[in-house]
Amino acid sequence: MNDPHMSPARAQRRKRSERAATASGPAYITRRLAPLDALDEESLQRIEATADRILAEVGIELRDDEEAVALFRRAGAQVEGTRLRFEPGMLRTILRTAPSEFTQHARNPARSVRIGGKNVVFAPSYGSPFVMDLDKGRRYGSIEDFRNFVRLAYASPWLHHSGGTVCEPVDLPVNKRHLDMVDAHIRFSDKAFLGSVTAPERAQDCIDMARIVFGADFVDGNCVIMGNVNVNSPLVWDGSATKVIRTYARANQGSVIVPFIQGGAMAPVTSAGAIAQALAETMVGCALTQVERPGAPVVFGNFLASMSLRSGAPTFGTPEPAVGSLVIGQLARRLRLPLRCAGSFSNSKLPDAQAMRESVMSMLSAIHCGTNFVLHSAGFLDGLLSMSYEKFMMDADFCGAMHSYLAGITVDDNTLAFDAISEVGPGHHFLGSEHTLRNCENAYFDSTINDNEPFQTWVETGSKDCATRANERWKAVLAQYEAPALDAAVSDALSDFVARKKDSMPDMWY
Amino acid sequence: MNDPHMSPARAQRRKRSERAATASGPAYITRRLAPLDALDEESLQRIEATADRILAEVGIELRDDEEAVALFRRAGAQVEGTRLRFEPGMLRTILRTAPSEFTQHARNPARSVRIGGKNVVFAPSYGSPFVMDLDKGRRYGSIEDFRNFVRLAYASPWLHHSGGTVCEPVDLPVNKRHLDMVDAHIRFSDKAFLGSVTAPERAQDCIDMARIVFGADFVDGNCVIMGNVNVNSPLVWDGSATKVIRTYARANQGSVIVPFIQGGAMAPVTSAGAIAQALAETMVGCALTQVERPGAPVVFGNFLASMSLRSGAPTFGTPEPAVGSLVIGQLARRLRLPLRCAGSFSNSKLPDAQAMRESVMSMLSAIHCGTNFVLHSAGFLDGLLSMSYEKFMMDADFCGAMHSYLAGITVDDNTLAFDAISEVGPGHHFLGSEHTLRNCENAYFDSTINDNEPFQTWVETGSKDCATRANERWKAVLAQYEAPALDAAVSDALSDFVARKKDSMPDMWY
């Protein structure tokens, strides 16, 4: 990142910060393991044709945003009140201007992430009203919890992105939360982050705060902030969402367009239909960015949940959404759009066996579907109602394992090791061989959460379960946490902006 | 299965049993989701060429089995004492007589499993000296524990196979255990099972017991029992193992040939070399079945573990073996041999978050590598030292989820649901729609272990974690257990065989 406004002192601090960050973990993953394709060409075409038919015959509702309706009308949509219909292929044509890959810049350039293509970016979970830990159980999230999760994500070598609403700071007024949240992302981390999506003026505040950090010119030419925006499935785009999307796009900033689909509720209970509907909805949201500002970065998003047939409640980390995600991945690649899909989902109320069973199933579906941006990578419990400190540490560690998994397998003379096999010979072992010593340092991912000691050692060190170790770990990380440097002038300008905004309106709690 | 020796009463009981079994779960899975290929053609060829070079230049040690050496010499191997070397391609040629797919018959024909091709068979974990549960902690396994795990596997709709040494019955003499183990598989289950591999005469006893159940003629023409036999890596085949392999093959029964590979110890620390070595070792074991009896069923097996770089201990459910398994799958398909690979591995000492994180990672590597037979599908803890009652229930439930996952996604007019989407329309929900009602019953896998209730309901029902629910579940299943019918004459003949064998030798405890 070239920023002409940067002071020498700030540049120096940045350089120091860059070294520290680079030492702690990679900025993002570039995968060497291929995605897994679940469907053949004919089946994919049938899903696409159904999405096209939904768009052309049923159409979507676009409510309370006349400008968005006008933009789509100019682009060729048939408009009947709030109902918009699109000729088959029309949205695909519009989407051609969207970048298939883009950089979201972090204030520490070594932390900028590349979204799209073969790249994978992990961000913390998003949007839980509750937080929980083993000591204090479940309670409403506060801004201090929010800051803690930003700190933990910053400290993790395996999370590339600071996320957005890492938990709801329920102790702050609804109309001012975004100011403190973005302030926390900037002060307590140097990784890239998401801005507010609850109202267009709040999205604008977040962009303005990013301008203070990155400089206005830089922001106009580069993506430094994104909004994660939900469809109101089935087939409704609310004006509050579309205005937010247009706010980010207008500023050349990113949007992640996400239908939250619980099969049987917001979409058909059969996966193929749910995916076709989601494809239709997502294409509309993505296309909106391009009719607002061609070339604006946009991410094709999806969030699939299944349903408990006993209670009707949404379920997570289950097999059907995992397969569905594989299909979503194929569809996104055919659109040549970056993909957000799945995460470390779970319905468990505790960081227990169910939690990691569902979470790993769900995260691996993201990995195998070829996702580029994984929101909800760490902390997700209780069907997204709770952000768990312990699960955050478990999930972040699993994200570390995914770095090794996505590196695939290297086949060359060194790794084939014929000479070592020949030298060691039948019946001997490789523990002390020169080949082992030379290759062992980076041979295996080293978990900081899992216990790999012999049983007796495990007993002697307290017979701790994984949740207890994770509890110790997040406390240790927070105790060791040091905030990344922030230029004093930027810090002051941010504080001033936040104070002025807060003073300009009364607190609102809804 | 046509058995001319079957009495009408027995046939009737069998029919009843068949109905019951069919109602409780499928006999095995035929996958519709494709495997995931990790390597390109060139890299696969390099691994195969390295395996060929190991076989031709380093060779393998075949100790204490002169007949096996003679068989390989006649087949073209170069023999120097106990060192055997094989020309490139020689073993592949020998392996052409091995079936790419075969049926292992169960005493309930509805439970016979098809091994190879697109089929997936789940069997319980194998070989742990300890068992554990939440009530009594870890202790040595007993024959009563063994019978309990056979009962639990029988009762699970998601385990297709009764396995072998589901735990070591340490309370029985070493030289007589196999009699009680096979007796338990036959009496307490009607699913297919594995026989002893600790000595050729014990393998023969197991085959003889199978002959009592299935009839001698049937056994000579059909696979009804298999042995799971380990290589002594690196590159050593011990005579005790090769004689067992030959015992099963001679009787036209199956062998599963498995190098246990901990990278950096029994093989190079780099995956490509470990896999090349394992390929060489496994091809030798598989080929031995064919030089003993062409056409005998054999399964290409593999078991990959990584290493804790802190303690040197083997680690499980880690990312590198998961990728390695994908490669093993590709290699087995190129040999057109059925594959055994991976399972529900974990190093955790408890059925906690670590346990299911590692287990799901490992089981999904089996699923994605295209495995046909998954030993260690349920119960595995503590690096295979312990068989856990609670983890058994968790794993078996996850095997259930794999049935839905491997079914993939169906794309047809019903699942695409255009009419339903059109009828429901934007902004409404699908909960009561005719399409949902018609399709919901089988839409989602219904876990019997996971909690999907709202938080408050979960609190009101005792705030139980997954391990506690699993604990209640295995007790309930055992309490409800009923043994499948067994013909009285067969039962008596088995008892008589076991008693005679036990009387024929003194107890041995090593």
Side-chain angles (χ1 to χ4, degrees), chain B residues 314-396:
Chain B
T315 52
F316 300 92
T318 48
E320 300 81 9
V323 178
S325 294
L326 302 178
V327 177
I328 297 285
Q330 292 182 275
L331 295 168
R333 283 193 288 285
R334 289 159 74 92
L335 281 170
R336 298 177 52 80
L337 290 177
L339 172 66
R340 176 204 149 187
C341 192
S344 296
F345 302 169
S346 174
N347 231 3
S348 182
K349 315 303 181 289
L350 293 170
D352 65 351
Q354 176 182 346
M356 288 312 283
R357 163 193 166 161
E358 292 175 333
S359 198
V360 169
M361 178 81 191
S362 171
M363 175 53 94
L364 281 173
S365 81
I367 295 300
H368 290 125
C369 84
T371 195
N372 302 115
F373 183 68
V374 189
L375 203 61
H376 307 303
S377 290
F380 189 121
L381 269 190
D382 191 10
L384 192 47
L385 286 175
S386 293
M387 185 76 167
S388 156
Y389 280 82
E390 286 81 19
K391 180 142 184 293
F392 189 95
M393 303 311 288
M394 296 176 185
D395 288 339

Side-chain angles (χ1 to χ4, degrees), chain A residues 46 234 265 270 273 310 320 347 349 352 354 357 397 413 415 427-428 430 445 447 451-453 466 469, chain B residues 46 234 265 270 273 310 320 347 349 352 354 357 397 413 415 427-428 430 445-447 451-453 466 469:
Chain A
R46 287 194 70 180
T270 47
R310 300 185 217 182
E320 299 81 9
N347 231 2
K349 315 303 181 289
D352 65 351
Q354 175 182 350
R357 163 193 166 161
D397 191 74
D413 285 342
T415 60
H428 300 280
F430 291 76
F445 171 69
S447 167
D451 174 85
N452 289 310
E453 297 299 318
C466 188
R469 295 191 301 270
Chain B
R46 286 194 69 180
T270 48
R310 300 183 217 182
E320 300 81 9
N347 231 3
K349 315 303 181 289
D352 65 351
Q354 176 182 346
R357 163 193 166 161
D397 191 74
D413 284 344
T415 60
H428 299 280
F430 290 77
F445 171 69
D446 186 20
S447 167
D451 174 84
N452 289 310
E453 297 298 317
C466 188
R469 295 192 302 270

Side-chain angles (χ1 to χ4, degrees), chain B residues 21 76 88 101 120 140 175 179 190 216 234 256 301 306 309 417 436 446 479 488 499:
Chain B
E101 204 176 317
V120 182
Y140 278 107
N175 63 330
L179 301 165
D190 62 5
V256 186
S306 44
L309 298 174
T436 302
D446 186 20

